[in-house]
Amino acid sequence: MSHSGNTSATATPHLPFTDTGLPGLDPRWSTTVEVASNAACEPVRGRLRRWHVLDNISVLEAEGKQPVGTILAVHGNPTWSYLWRDVITAATEAEHPWRVVAVDHLDMGFSERTGLNRRYEDRIQDLSDLTAALGLDDEDRVVTLAHDWGGLISMGWAELHPRAHAGIIMTNTAIHHDPATGPIPAPLRLALAPAVHGSLTSKSKAFLNVSVTLVDSGIPEEIQDAFEAPYATAERRQGIQNFVADIPAFEGHPSNSRYERTAAWVATATVPALLLWGTKDPVFKEQYLQDVMQRLPQATVHRYEGANHLLPQDRPVQEPILRWLTETFVDDTTHRQQHQAARPGGTSDPLPADFKPFHMGLSERAAQQAHAWEVATADMGPATNNNEPAVKKRLSWTELDQRVNSIASGLLNVGVRPGDRINLMVPPGTDLTTMIYACFRIGAVIVVADTGLGAKGLSRALKGASPKWLVGIPRALAAAKAFGWPGTRISVTGMDPVRAKALGVEHTVRELAKSQPIPFPELDPEADAAVLFTSGSTGPAKGVVYTQRQMAAMRDAVAAVCGLRPGTGLVAAFAPFALLAPAMGAASVTPDMDVTKPRTLTARALADAAGAIEATSVFASPAAIVNILATQGELSEHQRQALGNVKLMLSAGAPLPPTLLEDLQDLLPNAVLHTPYGMTECLPLTDVDLPTIREATVDAQPQDPESGLHGSPRVEGAGSGVCVGTPVPGATIRIRPLDHDGVPAGDLTEEPGVLGEIVAQAPHMKDRYDNLWITENESTRVAGWHSTSDVGHFDAKGRLWVEGRLSHVLHTAAGVVAPVAAEHAAGDVPGVGRTAIVGVGRKGAQVPVAVCETQPASRSVGLARPALAAKVRAAVVEATGLDLAAVLVLKAHPTDVRHNSKIDRTLLAEWAESALGGGKIKNP
C-alpha cells in the first residue's frame, strides 16, 4: 500500500519555493544554507552555493528534546528530501528522538541549479562541504540513511568521516555492478541511450514520472505532484540528466575509479548496518542487495516482498528504522539478543556438550556389520505389479554412506565451502537423500523449496535465499535458466556438452560421485544448516533458517513422535520427513506420486512403498489420506499385507475429521494413528493419537445435555476447536490471550478455556526467518518464544485445542470469534464438505459467513439453496451460538500448494464480500 505520510487536517503544507502542496512535510523543517563549494567541477573553489535541507533540529529544541544522534538522509535520482518526510516525523516524535538532516543535492530538489556537470566525486565533496558547514563532522553519532544514488554518495562521505560515521541504513540502491553478471539494468540502459537520453531525462518528465511512481500499489496524485514539484522545467531537470549520465556503466567512465574505491571501502566498514529492500525493484534487483550483504555481513536485513523501487513511499520504513536505531544506539541489547538468551539453550542456559551432528545416524548404521547391507532408501515406480513392490532402485546403508562421502568430497573439490547455500531442485528419492546428507556432512546449507510454489513463488523464494550453488534435474536447470535463479549449476544427471553449455551446467553429480573421500571440515553446531520454506498459505513463502544444533534437535523430536530408530522404516509422502529418517538410522522411501500434489497418492503406491522397506511408520497429509481411502479398493493382497505391518500412521498440515481417522484405522488395523501439530518454524510441537481424540470428543460434550451443544463441557476448556494433544518432549506451549480487538496481549497462560495466540519454545525451534528482520521480530515479540499466529486454548487436562489462524479471527460487534468450532458444526451437516467461516465487513462489525464445499461438488457458486442454508445455520447456532449472515457454496476451496489442505480464508473473505455486495460471482 502506498504510504502517503502525515497530512495536516486543516491545510496542505507549502514551501516558499513552490505553490504545490507537500503533504506530510512540516514547513518548520525547511531551511537553506549557504555553503562554500570545494568540488573539482567548480571554476572557482570556495564559491557559495545555496542548499535546501529538511532539518528538524529547531523543532526538537523548541520541544526541549535531546537527540540521540543525527540521521544524514541522502536521496537519489530523481527524488528530493521529501522522500524522508515520514522518517523525520517519526524521529521527531520518538521516545528517543533523532535529528534528521535530509539534503537536496545541488542541482536537485530545491537546492541551487549550478549549471555544472557534477560527477560522483563532486557529489561526495558537496556533501562533505555541507556537513562541515552544519557542524556534523564534529559529532560522533551520524547515521547515514540513503536510497538509490544516495547509497554510493553517502558511502563516499562515510569513508572520509570515520569519526563521525556511526551506522548505515540503506534502501534500494547499488554499491557495485559486477560486469560478469551482465549489463546494467535495462531501464538505465534505455535512459543512457544517446538517442533518447536528453529527451527522457530533462526535456520531458518521462524519467521523472516513471521513477516516482515505482510504488507497489500506485501513488496518490498529490504525492506524485509533491515529488515532481522541484522539477517543473527542463532547466530544473538538468541535474536529473547529469545524474543518469554519471552512471559508471563502462570501465573507462570518468567516475569509475572513485566508484570502485568506494565499493571496496564499504567491504571494510564495521559499523552497524540496516538494509531495507523492495523486491520488485526493476532497477536495483536482488543481485545488488546480495552484493551489499556480502560487503556488510554485519547488516540486519529485511526484504519487503512485493515492494517496489521507491521503498520509503511504498512501505512505512520509518517504524523499523527507529526501532533499529533504538536497539543499536540506546538499548543495552538488541531484541534478537534478548530472544536468543531467553530461548531453550540460549546464552542464559548452557548448551549441551553432547552435540550429535544431524547426519551421524546414517554413518553409525552403515558401520554396523549386521545391518550395513539392509535397505536404507529406495526409488519407487508405478504401483502396477500385483505380486511385489515396484522398486526402481535400492541403496543399502553402506552404499548410501559411501555415495554421500564421495559426493561430499566432490563438492569440496569443486569449491563448495561450509556455509555455502546449495539449492536442491531434486525430486524426493535416492538422489535427493544423497545430496542432502552430502551437504550436511561438509557444513553446506541446504535450500529446499516446494516446486508446488510455481515458477513465480519459486523465483521469489530462491532469489531471496540467494544460494551459491544449484543442484537440479534437467527440467529444474531449464527453469533456472529461464527465470534467472541464482547459483553455479550442477546437474544430477549426465549431460552432453552442448546441452550443458546451453543450461550453464558446470558440474554433474556423476562427476562428483567419482571423487575419493577427503577429510571433511569440523562442523560448528551454531552454524546455519538449512533454509526451509513455509507453504505460502498465509502469504509469500518465508525462508526459515535452522542451525546444525537445531536440525539435530528436530531429528530427535521427530524420532520421539514417529517412533523412528535404527531398524525401522518410514514412508514419507511429505518431502521434509523423508530427509529426516536416515539421520535416525531408519530406512525411508517416498511413494510414487507428485509430492507437490498430495492428492495424487494412491493406496497402491503407498502400500508398494511400505513393502519396499518393510515400513513401520507412514506420514501423509490429509489431502493424500482422502485419496488413499478413495482408492483402497484397488489394493492387491501383498499390498494389504504391507499396510498391515505399519505400526504408526501420522498426518499433519490441516485438521483431519474424526470420521476420516476412523476409516483410516480400518485400512491400517495395526497402526496407532497420530496427528501431530507443528509448522515449518517448529516441527513437531504437539502430538495426539486417535484414542485421545476420542476421549477429547467425549470431554467436549455438555455437562447438561439440555443446555445444547454450546453449554459447559464435561472437562473445562474441551471443545471449540481441533484437539492436537500435548507438547512433545522438550517443547513448551503457552497461550497469549487476545484482547477485545483480537490482539495478543498480556501474560502467557495455561489457564483452561482462554482464547489466545499459541506461542511455543523448543530446542528444535527455528533460528530465524531469512532476511526478514521485521517478520522475525514480530514472531519473537515474546522473547524466547515463537508466536505461531495460530489461535487456540488449553483444556483442564492440558490438551491444546487449535481454533484457526490469528488473521482469520472474526471481529464481530460482540467481540472476537475463532472460526473452527463453527466450521466443524457446518461440516457435519449432510451434504456439506469442508467449510470456512469468514468475516465480512469492517473490523469490529464483521458478520460471519459460511463458505461451503458440497458433496457432491456444487456445479454453481454463490448463495446456497435455502434448505441447505437453513440446516447449516441451525447447526452452527446450536453448536456455537453464532448466527450466520449467509451461507455460500463453491466448487472447491483455494488451498495451499504443500498440503492441498489449508484453506485460504483471506481470499475467501474477499470473495464472499464481493459476492454478497453484488459483484460478479465466480469460483475464487
Side-chain angles (χ1 to χ4, degrees):
M1 178 178 291
S2 178
H3 187 60
S4 59
N6 301 309
T7 305
S8 169
T10 56
T12 301
H14 291 71
L15 293 181
F17 324 111
T18 179
D19 294 329
T20 303
L22 304 172
L25 188 151
D26 187 337
R28 294 178 297 170
W29 304 335
S30 177
T31 186
T32 56
V33 186
E34 298 286 332
V35 178
S37 175
N38 294 298
C41 65
E42 293 285 355
V44 179
R45 296 290 181 92
R47 178 172 177 174
L48 292 179
R49 295 297 188 184
R50 180 181 53 80
W51 287 73
H52 174 250
V53 301
L54 299 180
D55 188 348
N56 65 343
I57 188 63
S58 63
V59 179
L60 292 174
E61 290 175 345
E63 296 178 359
K65 295 180 177 179
Q66 181 64 38
V68 176
T70 298
I71 300 171
L72 178 60
V74 188
H75 70 84
N77 184 35
T79 56
W80 59 289
S81 55
Y82 183 70
L83 181 70
W84 307 115
R85 64 197 183 281
D86 292 337
V87 175
I88 303 174
T89 297
T92 304
E93 298 174 351
E95 179 183 358
H96 302 287
W98 284 71
R99 179 186 182 184
V100 181
V101 176
V103 308
D104 285 359
H105 298 292
L106 293 176
D107 299 316
M108 301 291 287
F110 290 111
S111 287
E112 181 181 344
R113 294 316 190 251
T114 68
L116 301 174
N117 185 10
R118 312 188 85 84
R119 295 199 178 277
Y120 174 49
E121 191 149 20
D122 298 321
R123 296 289 182 189
I124 297 171
Q125 185 59 54
D126 288 343
L127 190 57
S128 297
D129 291 338
L130 176 64
T131 59
L134 294 176
L136 300 187
D137 294 3
D138 298 326
E139 297 186 13
D140 60 3
R141 189 172 286 173
V142 177
V143 176
T144 51
L145 167 62
H147 174 259
D148 193 270
W149 254 101
L152 266 174
I153 296 170
S154 66
M155 291 298 92
W157 177 89
E159 179 187 1
L160 302 178
H161 298 79
R163 192 179 72 84
H165 188 231
I168 298 168
I169 306 174
M170 287 193 281
T171 71
N172 295 58
T173 186
I175 297 301
H176 188 262
H177 176 80
D178 182 359
T181 64
I184 63 173
L188 297 182
R189 296 202 305 274
L190 174 62
L192 281 167
V196 296
H197 174 56
S199 298
L200 293 177
T201 56
S202 63
K203 294 176 183 178
S204 75
K205 285 187 174 182
F207 184 81
L208 174 65
N209 289 158
V210 171
S211 297
V212 301
T213 56
L214 289 175
V215 178
D216 177 34
S217 56
I219 185 170
E221 184 178 355
E222 64 272 17
I223 301 298
Q224 181 176 346
D225 290 344
F227 272 114
E228 296 182 1
Y231 305 112
T233 67
E235 180 183 11
R236 293 193 63 79
R237 291 191 293 271
Q238 187 60 45
I240 296 176
Q241 178 177 340
N242 292 344
F243 247 123
V244 172
D246 200 40
I247 296 172
F250 53 90
E251 189 174 345
H253 190 282
S255 292
N256 191 68
S257 61
R258 186 63 178 86
Y259 154 81
E260 291 284 355
R261 169 183 156 183
T262 300
W265 174 84
V266 172
T268 70
T270 58
V271 297
L274 173 66
L275 306 178
L276 303 175
W277 216 269
T279 62
K280 281 180 63 177
D281 192 333
V283 180
F284 299 122
K285 299 182 179 182
E286 188 70 34
Q287 70 188 76
Y288 297 107
L289 171 60
Q290 296 301 325
D291 175 75
V292 179
M293 289 171 58
Q294 290 175 11
R295 294 171 192 275
L296 297 172
Q298 75 274 25
T300 295
V301 181
H302 185 82
R303 301 170 70 258
Y304 288 89
E305 288 292 350
N308 212 314
H309 170 72
L310 205 63
L311 185 66
Q313 175 65 37
D314 216 349
R315 298 291 190 270
V317 297
Q318 68 276 10
E319 298 170 8
I321 286 174
L322 268 295
R323 185 190 315 159
W324 180 83
L325 287 169
T326 299
E327 285 191 11
T328 306
F329 296 102
V330 178
D331 295 341
D332 293 331
T333 57
T334 66
H335 177 78
R336 175 164 174 78
Q337 289 170 334
Q338 295 169 11
H339 170 66
Q340 293 292 82
R343 64 175 293 159
T347 55
S348 61
D349 183 10
L351 293 170
D354 56 343
F355 166 69
K356 179 180 177 180
F358 176 84
H359 62 271
M360 283 300 293
L362 190 164
S363 298
E364 290 173 350
R365 189 67 174 171
Q368 297 171 359
Q369 289 288 342
H371 306 291
W373 294 99
E374 294 174 352
V375 176
T377 185
D379 291 334
M380 302 303 301
T384 56
N385 191 325
N386 286 329
N387 298 315
E388 62 181 5
V391 180
K392 293 194 297 186
K393 180 180 179 180
R394 286 186 175 93
L395 287 179
S396 69
W397 289 102
T398 295
E399 291 168 329
L400 178 59
D401 189 53
Q402 290 174 347
R403 186 166 173 78
V404 166
N405 285 339
S406 296
I407 291 177
S409 299
L411 289 171
L412 291 173
N413 288 336
V414 299
V416 177
R417 295 294 176 262
D420 282 2
R421 292 187 172 187
I422 302 184
N423 173 22
L424 299 177
M425 301 294 291
V426 184
T430 57
D431 287 333
L432 179 60
T433 299
T434 303
M435 289 306 307
I436 286 172
Y437 283 84
C439 291
F440 274 113
R441 194 150 289 187
I442 64 172
V445 181
I446 62 170
V447 177
V448 183
D450 283 336
T451 55
L453 293 174
K456 184 177 179 180
L458 271 176
S459 293
R460 184 168 50 220
L462 298 178
K463 289 180 180 180
S466 193
K468 192 173 181 179
W469 306 83
L470 188 157
V471 181
I473 59 175
R475 187 172 61 180
L477 295 169
K481 178 78 171 180
F483 297 107
W485 296 340
T488 300
R489 311 292 199 253
I490 301 175
S491 175
V492 170
T493 62
M495 193 167 287
D496 66 83
V498 174
R499 192 178 187 195
K501 183 176 181 180
L503 296 178
V505 172
E506 297 191 18
H507 310 284
T508 68
V509 172
R510 185 175 299 175
E511 295 167 4
L512 302 182
K514 295 177 181 178
S515 302
Q516 294 299 313
I518 60 176
F520 298 136
E522 184 176 349
L523 295 182
D524 176 2
E526 314 315 322
D528 291 353
V531 181
L532 310 178
F533 282 87
T534 61
S535 66
S537 61
T538 57
K542 299 182 287 289
V544 179
V545 181
Y546 281 90
T547 65
Q548 293 282 349
R549 187 182 299 278
Q550 290 155 3
M551 285 299 299
M554 182 193 294
R555 172 201 62 205
D556 297 341
V558 170
V561 170
C562 296
L564 291 176
R565 58 188 182 278
T568 59
L570 172 69
V571 177
F574 178 47
F577 269 72
L579 71 88
L580 289 165
M584 310 165 200
S588 71
V589 65
T590 298
D592 180 50
M593 63 179 295
D594 182 347
V595 291
T596 69
K597 299 175 181 177
R599 292 179 188 268
T600 62
L601 178 60
T602 66
R604 287 179 64 92
L606 176 68
D608 263 16
I613 60 169
E614 299 180 1
T616 56
S617 301
V618 171
F619 186 101
S621 73
I625 289 172
V626 170
N627 200 50
I628 290 167
L629 293 173
T631 57
Q632 61 179 308
E634 302 169 2
L635 289 168
S636 67
E637 184 59 32
H638 85 87
Q639 290 169 334
R640 290 190 181 278
Q641 289 176 358
L643 293 180
N645 293 329
V646 174
K647 306 302 181 187
L648 179 69
M649 174 72 204
L650 303 106
S651 183
L656 265 175
T659 53
L660 202 65
L661 286 172
E662 298 290 356
D663 291 342
L664 186 60
Q665 184 71 83
D666 292 339
L667 178 63
L668 304 171
N670 298 315
V672 178
L673 306 188
H674 286 247
T675 58
Y677 163 71
M679 60 278 307
T680 308
E681 296 88 342
C682 194
L683 183 71
L685 272 176
T686 70
D687 187 33
V688 64
D689 58 18
L690 182 55
T692 303
I693 293 173
R694 291 168 177 158
E695 177 188 311
T697 302
V698 173
D699 291 343
Q701 297 301 310
Q703 290 181 351
D704 179 5
E706 296 183 1
S707 67
L709 291 178
H710 56 279
S712 297
R714 296 180 181 180
V715 172
E716 184 181 4
S720 296
V722 177
C723 180
V724 295
T726 53
V728 300
T732 304
I733 297 177
R734 296 289 184 270
I735 297 296
R736 195 176 190 202
L738 301 185
D739 64 15
H740 184 75
D741 296 320
V743 177
D747 296 332
L748 305 186
T749 182
E750 297 176 273
E751 184 180 343
V754 175
L755 176 65
E757 183 179 21
I758 299 168
V759 298
Q761 59 178 199
H764 54 283
M765 184 169 70
K766 69 170 169 58
D767 186 71
R768 66 191 185 279
Y769 287 120
D770 192 35
N771 296 331
L772 293 169
W773 173 67
I774 298 170
T775 308
E776 172 63 17
N777 276 1
E778 282 297 306
S779 76
T780 58
R781 49 190 174 269
V782 181
W785 299 78
H786 171 65
S787 298
T788 67
S789 292
D790 287 339
V791 293
H793 66 275
F794 282 108
D795 66 20
K797 291 186 176 180
R799 297 172 301 209
L800 180 67
W801 296 73
V802 176
E803 298 189 62
R805 296 286 293 172
L806 184 60
S807 59
H808 300 156
V809 166
L810 282 66
H811 300 260
T812 72
V816 295
V817 177
V820 169
E823 291 173 350
H824 283 183
D828 286 340
V829 173
V832 174
R834 294 184 301 176
T835 298
I837 304 293
V838 299
V840 171
R842 63 177 179 82
K843 282 190 174 182
Q846 287 182 336
V847 294
V849 173
V851 184
C852 309
E853 293 178 345
T854 60
Q855 298 172 341
S858 173
R859 295 182 179 180
S860 60
V861 296
L863 290 170
R865 294 175 182 268
L868 181 64
K871 292 178 182 178
V872 171
R873 280 196 174 98
V876 170
V877 166
E878 182 181 3
T880 68
L882 194 64
D883 187 14
L884 295 176
V887 179
L888 301 174
V889 296
L890 41 54
K891 297 176 182 177
H893 283 306
T895 59
D896 67 298
V897 296
R898 176 171 293 171
H899 304 286
N900 291 162
S901 304
K902 296 179 180 178
I903 298 172
D904 188 340
R905 288 170 175 80
T906 302
L907 177 61
L908 283 183
E910 295 171 356
W911 173 80
E913 187 153 7
S914 174
L916 295 174
K920 184 178 180 180
I921 302 178
K922 58 183 181 179
N923 209 55

